[in-house]
Amino acid sequence: MRIDLHAHSTASDGADTPSQLVRRAREAGLDVLALTDHDTVSGLAEATAVARETGITLVPGAEISCSWRGISIHMLAYLFDPGHAEFARERDLLRDDRTRRGRAIVERCRELGAPITWERVREIAGDGAVGRPHIARALVEAGVVATIQDAFSPDWIADNGRAYVEKYTLEPTRAIELIRAAGGVAVFAHPGARKRGRVVGPEVIAELAAAGMAGIEVDHPDHDEDTREELRGLAKELGLLVTGSSDYHGSVKPNRLGENTTDPAVYEEIVARATGAGPVIPTCST
Ligand code: AMP
Ligand code: FE
Ligand code: FE
Ligand code: ZN
């Protein structure tokens, strides 16, 4: 069983539609894929329909924007009830504030001389929750930077870069509380991704474990070998589940589907702990 528990679609900052994503996951030889768009479940209906006929098991999820004392962190939420009112309301707030903040980042970029427009960014994002990768694509298109990665520099939209604007985020303990209230399972996404900005220390991970977080993503493209070993040790110490995933975003990022995977026993444990929803099991197997 090949299990990838973190991927994005056009419902947030991925480049593949939910249908394309599910089909590509099958082509990549995956048996289980989690759809974890940033702050939204709007891609799940389409992904569910396609997964049923494509023969892949789909784990409904989301990646919730949090921050701890100014450090941006992401909490993966699996198998929660999407109808849980309070959690749904928070996702709406998070998603809506991405629009306000996207406009503000575009404004700063313009002040810094980049000829990009909000209209174009909105077009690139389509119906998806707006994120910095959409703005990065506009910056590339306008010839301001050569690559998306270059847009994530201190000169432009990196964390605390010249054109950076904060967005509404949740306290991670609050996110964990909401995810669990909705019957879901919380896993800390890429906790050691230092190349993206500051990361939290092991004492914070311990606090979150005490608050009911179930696991941490250890095998992730943004983690080097030393980071993985440290995190694996910490997970063992704290009794946390260890997951692995690609954080696939389609052509806008180099991450390949299935480049990291999760142990089937860990996946089974996540499913066993969830009470909000079950995985979508295919009706045919091709
Ligand atoms: P946002 O959620 O709008 O703050 O944007 C964060 C997203 O930008 C992440 O989920 C990644 O997809 C992407 N991202 C963050 N840092 C980088 C980076 N250094 N290079 C490329 N993409 C990045
Ligand atoms: Fe992303
Ligand atoms: Fe993330
Ligand atoms: Zn992600």
Side-chain angles (χ1 to χ4, degrees):
M1 275 237 286
R2 297 191 68 226
I3 302 159
D4 187 339
L5 291 183
H6 186 166
H8 297 266
S9 75
T10 48
S12 65
D13 56 6
D16 295 350
T17 64
S19 312
Q20 289 168 333
L21 171 65
V22 167
R23 294 208 175 90
R24 294 215 163 112
R26 193 59 180 145
E27 281 158 21
L30 290 171
D31 301 289
V32 179
L33 174 78
L35 178 61
T36 54
D37 276 307
H38 296 287
D39 304 321
T40 184
V41 295
S42 71
L44 282 176
E46 183 183 322
T48 297
V50 176
R52 284 217 169 90
E53 44 187 67
T54 309
I56 194 166
T57 296
L58 181 80
V59 176
E63 184 174 20
I64 306 300
S65 302
C66 302
S67 60
W68 185 87
R69 299 195 190 167
I71 300 176
S72 156
I73 65 180
H74 293 172
M75 194 63 64
L76 290 161
Y78 296 118
L79 299 167
F80 54 86
D81 170 10
H84 182 276
E86 213 178 332
F87 188 24
R89 184 175 154 273
E90 282 296 345
R91 286 196 306 277
D92 286 347
L93 293 175
L94 289 163
R95 197 204 47 219
D96 291 349
D97 196 59
R98 283 176 165 277
T99 305
R100 173 206 61 84
R101 177 260 206 163
R103 280 176 179 274
I105 292 180
V106 167
E107 204 40 54
R108 290 225 188 154
C109 286
R110 290 173 63 88
E111 283 162 16
L112 292 163
I116 61 170
T117 65
W118 168 248
E119 287 64 36
R120 183 59 193 140
V121 170
R122 186 69 265 183
E123 220 168 74
I124 291 169
D127 295 332
V130 182
R132 280 180 285 165
H134 299 123
I135 299 167
R137 281 160 71 180
L139 287 166
V140 172
E141 224 176 60
V144 175
V145 289
T147 66
I148 290 176
Q149 185 58 50
D150 290 344
F152 283 89
S153 80
D155 278 349
W156 298 105
I157 60 171
D159 283 10
N160 306 310
R162 290 189 305 168
Y164 182 70
V165 177
E166 284 191 354
K167 61 183 185 300
Y168 174 59
T169 51
L170 300 184
E171 290 288 331
T173 48
R174 168 86 176 129
I176 292 165
E177 184 183 287
L178 286 169
I179 293 164
R180 297 185 79 206
V185 176
V187 172
F188 194 154
H190 45 73
R194 288 189 189 83
K195 71 170 197 187
R196 296 186 187 203
R198 289 191 297 153
V199 301
V200 301
E203 66 291 346
V204 177
I205 296 178
E207 261 174 48
L208 300 181
M213 183 176 73
I216 56 178
E217 196 175 53
V218 170
D219 292 304
H220 182 281
D222 291 355
H223 292 163
D224 60 24
E225 271 315 312
D226 288 349
T227 302
R228 294 180 193 209
E229 282 324 302
E230 272 168 43
L231 289 171
R232 233 182 283 284
L234 184 65
K236 195 165 181 198
E237 203 180 295
L238 297 172
L240 288 167
L241 300 173
V242 162
T243 68
S245 34
S246 65
D247 204 352
Y248 176 80
H249 281 67
S251 59
V252 295
K253 273 195 164 192
N255 310 28
R256 288 168 296 109
L257 276 165
E259 76 173 276
N260 293 117
T261 54
T262 296
D263 191 300
V266 171
Y267 166 64
E268 296 299 344
E269 183 61 27
I270 290 172
V271 173
R273 288 191 198 181
T275 57
V280 178
I281 311 290
T283 46
C284 77
S285 50
T286 44

